[in-house]
């Protein structure tokens, strides 16, 4: 999508994650979605204090800095620090409420299939679909059938502009192997798998001696 098309597109993509660390899979997904969906831009929202999982390994400030480095030179991507500005657990429902207030545009919440399948464990998860569309991205190893509550909401990407929230898109054009868990395991003993870390991030990890201890 060129810049003029993107600036007319109505939706803002919201890509939350622990980003512990951000990897090339995250970037490839965001790039593909900019092509496939009517997105003006994508906000990467690192979770300061993710509530639904074990505590991140790298401190929040380092995870944020790595996202900043990775997004350098991508004009349609930006970091949003709203989860660092709030106190308490980083609940996605609060993030969507804050982003809707700030941007006054429809939102598309981007979730890998693993995250989507875990949604019923999230705080006030049923409200999410009242605040945003869902963009569900296929992920190797997570091939479960979609739950019945989401199936009637499924549309093709272009249709997302027909509503303010409540629709869902399943993106099957990607099959990215990267995983932050696998990356952290590799980094404990040596380098990251080739091509998995965005430019600037390997040097940052090295400089700050991240991921060398126990995971
Ligand atoms: P971890 O292994 O620590 O859980 P991760 O690789 O899943 O990390 P996160 O920062 O937790 O990375 O992911 C942020 C979002 O990106 C989640 O919605 C996740 O499902 C999605 N995602 C990450 N990697 C992939 C991938 N390879 N394919 C599809 N979705 C992905």
């Amino acid at each position: 999508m060129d810049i003029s098309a993107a600036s007319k597109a109505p939706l803002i993509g919201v890509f939350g994650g622990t980003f512990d660390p951000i990897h090339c899979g995250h970037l490839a997904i965001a790039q593909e979605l900019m092509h496939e969906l009517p997105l003006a831009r994508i906000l990467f929202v690192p979770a300061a204090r993710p509530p639904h999982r074990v505590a991140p390994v790298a401190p929040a400030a380092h995870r944020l800095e790595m996202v900043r480095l990775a997004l350098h030179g991508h004009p349609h991507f930006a970091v949003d620090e709203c989860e660092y500005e709030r106190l308490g657990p980083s609940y996605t429902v609060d993030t969507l409420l804050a982003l809707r207030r700030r941007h006054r545009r429809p939102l598309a919440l981007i979730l890998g299939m693993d995250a989507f399948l875990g949604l019923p464990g999230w705080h006030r998860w049923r409200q999410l679909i009242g605040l945003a569309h869902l963009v569900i991205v296929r992920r190797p190893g997570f091939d479960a059938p979609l739950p019945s509550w989401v199936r009637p909401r499924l549309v093709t990407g272009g249709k997302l502009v027909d509503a303010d929230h409540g629709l869902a898109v399943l993106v099957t054009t990607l099959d990215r192997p990267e995983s932050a868990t696998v990356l952290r395991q590799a980094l404990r003993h040596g380098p990251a798998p080739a091509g998995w870390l965005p430019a600037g991030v390997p040097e940052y990890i090295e400089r700050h001696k991240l991921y060398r201890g126990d995971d």
Side-chain angles (χ1 to χ4, degrees):
M1 180 181 276
D2 63 29
I3 294 180
S4 55
S7 62
K8 285 185 212 128
L11 297 172
I12 296 181
V14 179
F15 200 0
T18 312
F19 301 121
D20 190 20
I22 188 166
H23 52 63
C24 292
H26 296 125
L27 289 183
I29 289 166
Q31 268 156 342
E32 175 71 13
L33 297 182
M34 283 302 299
H35 285 290
E36 282 196 32
L37 304 178
L39 297 175
R41 56 188 187 277
I42 294 181
L43 303 177
F44 284 65
V45 188
R49 289 164 292 277
H52 305 297
R53 48 172 294 150
V54 293
V57 174
H62 284 313
R63 292 185 288 107
L64 175 64
E65 202 48 42
M66 289 188 280
V67 174
R68 277 210 193 95
L69 280 172
L71 301 193
H72 192 74
H74 291 277
H76 299 119
F77 301 162
V79 189
D80 189 291
E81 296 179 37
C82 66
E83 297 191 357
Y84 285 65
E85 290 153 8
R86 291 200 306 265
L87 299 174
S90 307
Y91 293 126
T92 300
V93 66
D94 295 332
T95 296
L96 295 182
L97 282 165
L99 293 177
R100 278 181 73 94
R101 267 197 305 272
R102 191 176 305 165
H103 296 285
R104 303 195 173 281
R105 287 236 215 173
L107 304 175
L109 178 65
I110 300 163
L111 298 161
M113 185 60 93
D114 59 311
F116 171 73
L117 293 172
L119 218 54
W122 292 19
H123 183 62
R124 287 164 35 210
W125 71 278
R126 287 180 193 281
Q127 287 182 25
L128 299 176
I129 198 83
L131 296 168
H133 299 305
L134 299 184
V135 175
I136 306 156
V137 181
R138 185 164 76 184
R139 185 167 193 176
F142 297 90
D143 291 328
L146 287 178
S148 56
W149 66 265
V150 81
R151 271 187 253 131
R153 299 175 179 276
L154 283 175
V155 294
T156 51
K159 296 278 184 202
L160 288 181
V161 297
D162 292 350
D164 175 78
H165 61 267
L167 302 176
V169 170
L170 177 64
V171 176
T172 57
T173 45
L174 281 161
D175 220 355
R176 298 296 303 197
E178 294 91 339
S179 140
T181 302
V182 173
L183 258 171
R184 292 193 301 272
Q185 282 160 359
L187 288 166
R188 283 171 68 181
H189 307 293
W196 277 30
L197 283 174
V201 176
E203 295 78 10
Y204 188 93
I205 289 174
E206 179 68 27
R207 193 165 353 114
H208 295 279
K209 301 184 173 40
L210 302 177
Y211 306 116
R212 288 201 188 158
D214 287 335
D215 196 347

